[in-house]
Amino acid sequence: QAQPVSKGARDVHENPKVPDFRVPTGAVDAHCHVFGPSDVFPYSPIRKYTPYDAPAEKLFALRDHLGFEKNVLVQASCHGKNNDAMVDCLNKAGENARGVAIVDPSITDEELRALDAAGVRGVRFNFLKRLVDPTPKSEYLGIAKRVAKMGWHVVVYFEAEELEEIAPFLESIPTIVVIDHMGRPDVSLGADDPQFERFIRLMDENSNFWVKVSCPERLSISGPPYEDVVPFARTLVERFPDRVLWGTDWPHPNMKTHTPDDGQLVDRIPHIARTKALQHSLLVGNPMHLYWPGHAIPKSDT
Ligand SMILES: O=C(O)/C=C(\C=C(/O)C(=O)O)C(=O)O
């Protein structure tokens, strides 16, 4: 079994600050994971990294510590297409969690329905070469067409330099497409660089595309408090206020430079969403629309 790439202490901040920023009532952490425990939920035999265990109970404690109400559990590559740990977390969280699964074409309609009943509302296509071996886009498109009929969406994770090559595939997906971590822009180029302008154009030209303004800790050159990433996230929030999501990305797998303080990540929110209305859309209205459609949306705090 691949050795853990980093100690639990490296992945997870043991004592995150209580955020100064009070998130609105009903706030949703729309990108997080649970890992293991590996003796109950073994990691994928074809994984490219081995995290330390990060169980549901710790995620729920963080949720409460940060003032959030709900979580969206995103299946990570280290568990591959075995979604059991994520589904176990959904079962424990009840109505306070939804999920995004990794599946392959062999999944049956009955298995998809069981995932839906557990709270899964999307599938994830990962293109990062350091995380997964390539999957034919035709295979992904077949899955997308099947899950679109269930009302699910597709979450995609790719590097900015792949955008040109991957854009036609993304535009062929017949449902909402949610792009992880702002499409991983090269922050050193600046937010007015053609690379990020191309991403903005992709969002402009595809009204079914959403984006997570998450993971400044992964993208920043300057490091905490990630000032250099603010222009990217702020631009997306202000240009596409109804199509943005935010998440902690707890437990922060594969972080090499530092262990993010989740409370500090929350304190960046008012810097990228500068009004209460934008904060409410980012943290409550948009994730509720996507993951809890038809459910009452808590009103913006005055
Ligand atoms: O957790 C994240 O969203 C980011 C990473 C890992 C994964 O998404 C994954 O393993 O599926 C990463 O950048 O290493």
Side-chain angles (χ1 to χ4, degrees):
Q1 172 160 330
Q3 285 308 307
V5 292
S6 58
K7 296 273 180 211
R10 279 285 314 282
D11 286 347
V12 175
H13 198 293
E14 293 303 328
N15 186 28
K17 68 173 287 205
V18 175
D20 301 322
F21 172 63
R22 186 168 163 273
V23 299
T25 304
V28 181
D29 177 351
H31 189 100
C32 49
H33 313 282
V34 286
F35 294 154
S38 55
D39 58 338
V40 180
F41 301 113
Y43 295 110
S44 166
I46 59 169
R47 65 189 178 281
K48 292 184 184 285
Y49 70 92
T50 302
Y52 275 63
D53 291 351
E57 293 67 28
K58 280 196 166 185
L59 176 67
F60 297 155
L62 179 76
R63 175 198 62 196
D64 299 344
H65 176 78
L66 300 177
F68 283 76
E69 182 177 298
K70 293 178 164 64
N71 295 97
V72 178
L73 278 294
V74 178
Q75 183 74 354
S77 62
C78 55
H79 272 302
K81 62 184 182 180
N82 184 325
N83 298 283
D84 290 353
M86 183 261 285
V87 170
D88 173 69
C89 184
L90 298 184
N91 292 336
K92 286 172 177 170
E95 267 307 292
N96 285 335
R98 291 288 185 265
V100 178
I102 293 175
V103 304
D104 72 14
S106 69
I107 193 166
T108 65
D109 290 346
E110 184 185 2
E111 289 165 333
L112 284 173
R113 283 192 294 272
L115 288 173
D116 191 85
V120 173
R121 295 293 182 272
V123 290
R124 191 176 193 223
F125 299 157
N126 195 328
F127 292 88
L128 265 68
K129 296 179 181 59
R130 65 176 167 84
L131 295 175
V132 294
D133 291 333
T135 296
K137 293 185 182 64
S138 57
E139 186 173 306
Y140 275 154
L141 189 56
I143 293 168
K145 288 176 178 174
R146 284 180 68 187
V147 302
K149 292 174 185 163
M150 300 171 67
W152 291 12
H153 58 277
V154 169
V155 172
V156 292
Y157 191 31
F158 57 85
E159 304 273 8
E161 59 264 22
E162 293 174 319
L163 177 55
E164 215 49 62
E165 188 270 330
I166 203 174
F169 162 71
L170 298 179
E171 292 170 333
S172 72
I173 293 174
T175 186
I176 287 175
V177 176
V178 181
I179 298 167
D180 279 342
H181 313 334
M182 298 181 273
R184 289 187 65 96
D186 179 347
V187 169
S188 68
L189 299 176
D192 55 357
D193 180 82
Q195 182 192 76
F196 190 59
E197 286 176 350
R198 174 68 184 92
F199 184 83
I200 297 288
R201 196 164 79 244
L202 182 82
M203 290 293 295
D204 267 334
E205 292 171 352
N206 297 278
S207 60
N208 62 315
F209 284 21
W210 291 41
V211 58
K212 294 177 190 170
V213 287
S214 48
C215 280
E217 71 281 7
R218 292 185 182 283
L219 303 170
S220 177
I221 310 292
S222 61
Y226 321 117
E227 282 295 341
D228 53 343
V229 184
V230 168
F232 295 83
R234 181 183 291 169
T235 298
L236 293 169
V237 168
E238 294 178 355
R239 290 282 292 262
F240 311 106
D242 298 330
R243 294 191 272 146
V244 287
L245 299 170
W246 185 90
T248 57
D249 192 31
W250 189 89
H252 311 286
N254 303 313
M255 280 299 297
K256 298 284 188 280
T257 55
H258 65 293
T259 299
D261 177 329
D262 299 280
Q264 187 178 59
L265 291 175
V266 172
D267 280 342
R268 304 311 299 159
I269 293 172
H271 296 271
I272 66 172
R274 290 186 283 184
T275 69
K276 279 197 176 295
L278 288 172
Q279 292 157 12
H280 184 267
S281 294
L282 175 66
L283 297 171
V284 184
N286 295 349
M288 286 298 290
H289 173 81
L290 193 57
Y291 291 99
W292 286 268
H295 289 233
I297 297 179
K299 293 199 181 317
S300 178
D301 303 327
T302 51

